Amino acid sequence: MMVEQERECHKNYRAKARVHANVAVAKYWGKRDESLNLPLFDSVAFNVDGLITETQAHWHNDDTRDALIINGWQVPAQSMGRVERILDKIRDIKGWDKRCTLQSRNNFPLASGLASSASGSAAAAAAAAAAAGLELRESELSALARLGSGSAARSIPGGWTRWRTGHLDDGSDSFAESFAPADYWNLHVFVIQVTDSQKSVSSSECMNMCMRSPFWNVFVEESKKEADLLQQAVVQRDFASFSAGVHRNMMRLHALTMTCERPVLYFAPKSVEIIQKVLRATQAVPVCCTVDAGSNVIVICEDSACPFIKNDIIALGLPFIQTHVGNGAQIV
Ligand code: PMV
């Protein structure tokens, strides 16, 4: 952002950010520090151009409380924890006790496995920091967004991103960076809305439950190898390795959630139907799919496969959007 613009934001303490949700291909799962959302291993993701959160931030002295309004609904004070961590950090840096009102809009359903917490926290961090007149580096903004939701760190830089675990206890070296721009690889992304209902177990809660699974240690050891493999497949535009890695990574995470003392099954019957179709198709055409902690399915394919894949998706009769890899956070 231009310095002039930033001074302007600072003057009236208002700014608006536009951020995309991101979808992980080497997924984050498990924390080494819960309050700072520090991960146990690196993750790799891409921003999704068609999944947008826009958030307007306004710092003021009027109220005693911060407020978050999502799609016109005020979030209850007891559910503000994630965003409070971001706002408290900004208050710390500024040395002020102003309150912040955040008005946010998503063009997709919340908490249904479409990374709304990622884009929501990233947009809140970008807007609130700009409205406060903070001149943060991209890595600092990514680490700030991480405080709200771990995966939000990856919605700040553009295109294909890698969130590094970091080693420091304060988390200042745990942020995401872009390793390839949005237009690096001409892939088509289909976001298929299997359900618009909210997931029953949050990612954070399920991560904690998974730590008591008998398969946890082997899951973590294997997951430590994934970011390198997926990043390399993207950099080399090697769809066969990419697709194998995306499927392996998704299945291991979902297999793990099913082994908790109280098992969690995020897939809906329709998710399984789509995954089976994609796994069959992947033998013949460059297509793969992934599912985060929810039931909605993200299908990714190369240009050559796009017409057939699109027809098959239309035939499912479910709402979907066709999009591609998107850019990072912007002040608008
Ligand atoms: O950032 P959280 O707490 O919403 O967790 C995200 C977890 C996954 O979406 C399943 C994986 C990921 O890396 O985004």
Side-chain angles (χ1 to χ4, degrees), residues 109-122:
L110 302 176
S112 59
L114 288 181
S116 56
S117 65
S119 57
S121 294

Side-chain angles (χ1 to χ4, degrees), residues 24 27-29 82 117 149-151 154 203-204 207 253 292-293:
K27 297 186 194 298
Y28 146 64
W29 200 251
R82 285 165 173 267
S117 65
S149 164
S151 53
R154 300 184 311 239
S203 312
S204 290
M207 285 181 205
L253 190 151
D292 275 339

Side-chain angles (χ1 to χ4, degrees), residues 28-29 31 34 37 82 202-209:
Y28 146 64
W29 200 251
K31 308 182 192 205
E34 236 186 304
N37 286 332
R82 285 165 173 267
S202 74
S203 312
S204 290
E205 193 186 345
C206 192
M207 285 181 205
N208 280 334
M209 290 159 63

Side-chain angles (χ1 to χ4, degrees), residues 16-23 46-56 86 103-108 114-128 130 141-142 145 149 151-159 326-332:
K16 187 174 181 181
R18 180 182 297 146
V19 164
H20 298 113
N22 70 80
V23 169
F46 61 88
N47 285 299
V48 184
D49 191 61
L51 301 181
I52 302 164
T53 298
E54 277 192 353
T55 299
Q56 175 129 34
I86 295 172
Q103 305 250 18
S104 190
R105 292 216 160 261
N106 290 289
N107 72 338
F108 58 95
L114 288 181
S116 56
S117 65
S119 57
S121 294
L141 190 55
S142 169
S149 164
S151 53
R154 300 184 311 239
S155 277
I156 298 294
N327 291 317
Q330 276 175 289
I331 298 299
V332 291

